[in-house]
Short mmCIF file of all heavy atoms in Angstrom, two decimals:
data_model
loop_
_atom_site.label_atom_id
_atom_site.label_comp_id
_atom_site.label_asym_id
_atom_site.label_seq_id
_atom_site.Cartn_x
_atom_site.Cartn_y
_atom_site.Cartn_z
N ILE A 1582 26.00 35.96 72.31
CA ILE A 1582 27.29 35.42 71.85
C ILE A 1582 27.32 33.90 71.98
O ILE A 1582 27.82 33.19 71.09
CB ILE A 1582 28.45 36.06 72.64
CG1 ILE A 1582 28.48 37.57 72.36
CG2 ILE A 1582 29.78 35.43 72.28
CD1 ILE A 1582 29.48 38.33 73.20
N LEU A 1583 26.76 33.38 73.07
CA LEU A 1583 26.74 31.93 73.26
C LEU A 1583 25.88 31.25 72.19
O LEU A 1583 26.20 30.14 71.74
CB LEU A 1583 26.21 31.58 74.65
CG LEU A 1583 27.09 32.02 75.83
CD1 LEU A 1583 26.45 31.59 77.14
CD2 LEU A 1583 28.49 31.45 75.71
N ARG A 1584 24.81 31.92 71.76
CA ARG A 1584 23.96 31.35 70.71
C ARG A 1584 24.74 31.23 69.41
O ARG A 1584 24.59 30.27 68.65
CB ARG A 1584 22.73 32.24 70.52
CG ARG A 1584 21.63 31.60 69.66
CD ARG A 1584 20.42 32.51 69.52
NE ARG A 1584 19.88 32.88 70.82
CZ ARG A 1584 19.87 34.12 71.31
NH1 ARG A 1584 20.42 35.11 70.59
NH2 ARG A 1584 19.35 34.38 72.48
N ARG A 1585 25.60 32.21 69.15
CA ARG A 1585 26.42 32.15 67.94
C ARG A 1585 27.46 31.04 68.03
O ARG A 1585 27.80 30.40 67.03
CB ARG A 1585 27.10 33.50 67.70
CG ARG A 1585 26.12 34.63 67.40
CD ARG A 1585 26.80 35.96 67.15
NE ARG A 1585 25.87 37.06 67.34
CZ ARG A 1585 26.13 38.15 68.02
NH1 ARG A 1585 27.31 38.30 68.60
NH2 ARG A 1585 25.23 39.10 68.15
N PHE A 1586 27.99 30.84 69.24
CA PHE A 1586 28.96 29.76 69.42
C PHE A 1586 28.33 28.41 69.10
O PHE A 1586 29.00 27.51 68.58
CB PHE A 1586 29.48 29.75 70.87
CG PHE A 1586 30.77 30.49 71.05
CD1 PHE A 1586 30.82 31.68 71.75
CD2 PHE A 1586 31.95 30.00 70.51
CE1 PHE A 1586 32.01 32.37 71.92
CE2 PHE A 1586 33.15 30.68 70.67
CZ PHE A 1586 33.18 31.86 71.38
N ARG A 1587 27.05 28.26 69.42
CA ARG A 1587 26.40 26.96 69.23
C ARG A 1587 26.28 26.58 67.76
O ARG A 1587 26.14 25.40 67.43
CB ARG A 1587 25.01 26.99 69.88
CG ARG A 1587 25.03 27.02 71.39
CD ARG A 1587 23.67 26.67 71.97
NE ARG A 1587 23.65 26.87 73.42
CZ ARG A 1587 23.14 27.94 74.01
NH1 ARG A 1587 22.59 28.89 73.29
NH2 ARG A 1587 23.15 28.05 75.33
N VAL A 1588 26.27 27.55 66.87
CA VAL A 1588 26.15 27.23 65.44
C VAL A 1588 27.51 27.03 64.78
O VAL A 1588 27.58 26.79 63.57
CB VAL A 1588 25.36 28.33 64.70
CG1 VAL A 1588 23.97 28.48 65.26
CG2 VAL A 1588 26.11 29.66 64.74
N THR A 1589 28.57 27.14 65.55
CA THR A 1589 29.91 26.86 65.04
C THR A 1589 30.28 25.42 65.36
O THR A 1589 29.66 24.79 66.22
CB THR A 1589 30.96 27.80 65.67
OG1 THR A 1589 31.12 27.45 67.06
CG2 THR A 1589 30.52 29.26 65.57
N PRO A 1590 31.29 24.88 64.70
CA PRO A 1590 31.71 23.49 65.02
C PRO A 1590 32.47 23.36 66.33
O PRO A 1590 32.84 22.25 66.71
CB PRO A 1590 32.60 23.13 63.82
CG PRO A 1590 33.08 24.43 63.28
CD PRO A 1590 32.00 25.42 63.52
N LEU A 1591 32.70 24.48 67.03
CA LEU A 1591 33.45 24.40 68.29
C LEU A 1591 32.61 23.72 69.36
O LEU A 1591 31.47 24.12 69.60
CB LEU A 1591 33.84 25.81 68.76
CG LEU A 1591 34.84 26.59 67.90
CD1 LEU A 1591 35.05 27.97 68.48
CD2 LEU A 1591 36.16 25.84 67.85
N PRO A 1592 33.15 22.72 70.06
CA PRO A 1592 32.41 22.09 71.15
C PRO A 1592 32.32 23.02 72.36
O PRO A 1592 33.20 23.86 72.58
CB PRO A 1592 33.24 20.84 71.48
CG PRO A 1592 34.62 21.16 70.99
CD PRO A 1592 34.45 22.08 69.81
N THR A 1593 31.25 22.86 73.13
CA THR A 1593 31.05 23.70 74.32
C THR A 1593 32.20 23.55 75.31
O THR A 1593 32.61 24.51 75.95
CB THR A 1593 29.72 23.33 75.01
OG1 THR A 1593 28.67 23.42 74.05
CG2 THR A 1593 29.44 24.26 76.16
N GLY A 1594 32.71 22.33 75.42
CA GLY A 1594 33.81 22.08 76.35
C GLY A 1594 35.03 22.92 76.05
O GLY A 1594 35.77 23.31 76.97
N LEU A 1595 35.27 23.20 74.78
CA LEU A 1595 36.43 24.01 74.40
C LEU A 1595 36.27 25.44 74.90
O LEU A 1595 37.22 26.07 75.38
CB LEU A 1595 36.58 24.01 72.88
CG LEU A 1595 37.95 24.43 72.32
CD1 LEU A 1595 39.00 23.41 72.68
CD2 LEU A 1595 37.87 24.59 70.81
N PHE A 1596 35.06 25.96 74.80
CA PHE A 1596 34.76 27.31 75.28
C PHE A 1596 34.98 27.40 76.79
O PHE A 1596 35.60 28.34 77.30
CB PHE A 1596 33.32 27.66 74.90
CG PHE A 1596 32.87 28.99 75.41
CD1 PHE A 1596 33.28 30.16 74.80
CD2 PHE A 1596 32.00 29.08 76.49
CE1 PHE A 1596 32.85 31.40 75.26
CE2 PHE A 1596 31.57 30.31 76.95
CZ PHE A 1596 31.99 31.46 76.34
N LEU A 1597 34.47 26.41 77.53
CA LEU A 1597 34.64 26.39 78.99
C LEU A 1597 36.11 26.20 79.37
O LEU A 1597 36.59 26.79 80.34
CB LEU A 1597 33.78 25.30 79.60
CG LEU A 1597 32.27 25.47 79.46
CD1 LEU A 1597 31.53 24.28 80.09
CD2 LEU A 1597 31.80 26.76 80.10
N ALA A 1598 36.81 25.36 78.60
CA ALA A 1598 38.23 25.13 78.88
C ALA A 1598 39.03 26.42 78.71
O ALA A 1598 39.94 26.70 79.51
CB ALA A 1598 38.77 24.05 77.96
N ALA A 1599 38.70 27.21 77.70
CA ALA A 1599 39.40 28.48 77.48
C ALA A 1599 39.19 29.42 78.66
O ALA A 1599 40.13 30.05 79.16
CB ALA A 1599 38.92 29.13 76.19
N HIS A 1600 37.95 29.50 79.14
CA HIS A 1600 37.68 30.35 80.31
C HIS A 1600 38.40 29.83 81.54
O HIS A 1600 38.94 30.61 82.34
CB HIS A 1600 36.17 30.41 80.57
CG HIS A 1600 35.47 31.43 79.76
ND1 HIS A 1600 35.39 32.77 80.12
CD2 HIS A 1600 34.82 31.34 78.57
CE1 HIS A 1600 34.72 33.44 79.21
NE2 HIS A 1600 34.36 32.60 78.26
N GLY A 1601 38.42 28.52 81.71
CA GLY A 1601 39.12 27.95 82.85
C GLY A 1601 40.60 28.22 82.82
O GLY A 1601 41.22 28.54 83.84
N LEU A 1602 41.21 28.12 81.64
CA LEU A 1602 42.65 28.38 81.50
C LEU A 1602 42.98 29.83 81.78
O LEU A 1602 43.97 30.14 82.45
CB LEU A 1602 43.12 27.99 80.09
CG LEU A 1602 43.27 26.50 79.82
CD1 LEU A 1602 43.56 26.26 78.34
CD2 LEU A 1602 44.39 25.90 80.67
N VAL A 1603 42.15 30.74 81.27
CA VAL A 1603 42.38 32.17 81.53
C VAL A 1603 42.31 32.44 83.03
O VAL A 1603 43.16 33.13 83.60
CB VAL A 1603 41.35 33.03 80.77
CG1 VAL A 1603 41.44 34.49 81.23
CG2 VAL A 1603 41.60 32.95 79.27
N ALA A 1604 41.28 31.90 83.67
CA ALA A 1604 41.12 32.12 85.11
C ALA A 1604 42.31 31.56 85.88
O ALA A 1604 42.86 32.21 86.79
CB ALA A 1604 39.82 31.46 85.59
N LEU A 1605 42.73 30.37 85.52
CA LEU A 1605 43.85 29.73 86.21
C LEU A 1605 45.14 30.53 86.03
O LEU A 1605 45.88 30.76 87.00
CB LEU A 1605 44.03 28.32 85.67
CG LEU A 1605 44.97 27.38 86.43
CD1 LEU A 1605 44.56 27.26 87.89
CD2 LEU A 1605 44.98 26.00 85.77
N VAL A 1606 45.40 30.98 84.82
CA VAL A 1606 46.61 31.76 84.56
C VAL A 1606 46.58 33.08 85.33
O VAL A 1606 47.59 33.49 85.92
CB VAL A 1606 46.78 32.01 83.05
CG1 VAL A 1606 47.86 33.05 82.78
CG2 VAL A 1606 47.12 30.72 82.33
N MET A 1607 45.42 33.74 85.35
CA MET A 1607 45.33 35.02 86.05
C MET A 1607 45.54 34.85 87.56
O MET A 1607 46.18 35.68 88.20
CB MET A 1607 43.97 35.68 85.78
CG MET A 1607 43.79 36.14 84.35
SD MET A 1607 45.10 37.30 83.84
CE MET A 1607 44.86 37.32 82.06
N VAL A 1608 45.00 33.77 88.12
CA VAL A 1608 45.21 33.51 89.55
C VAL A 1608 46.69 33.25 89.82
O VAL A 1608 47.26 33.75 90.81
CB VAL A 1608 44.35 32.32 90.02
CG1 VAL A 1608 44.78 31.86 91.41
CG2 VAL A 1608 42.88 32.71 90.05
#
Side-chain angles (χ1 to χ4, degrees):
I1582 297 174
L1583 294 181
R1584 192 179 303 114
R1585 295 181 200 133
F1586 264 111
R1587 290 195 187 100
V1588 300
T1589 70
L1591 293 177
T1593 305
L1595 198 68
F1596 176 76
L1597 295 178
H1600 276 276
L1602 284 173
V1603 171
L1605 191 56
V1606 168
M1607 292 304 166
V1608 168

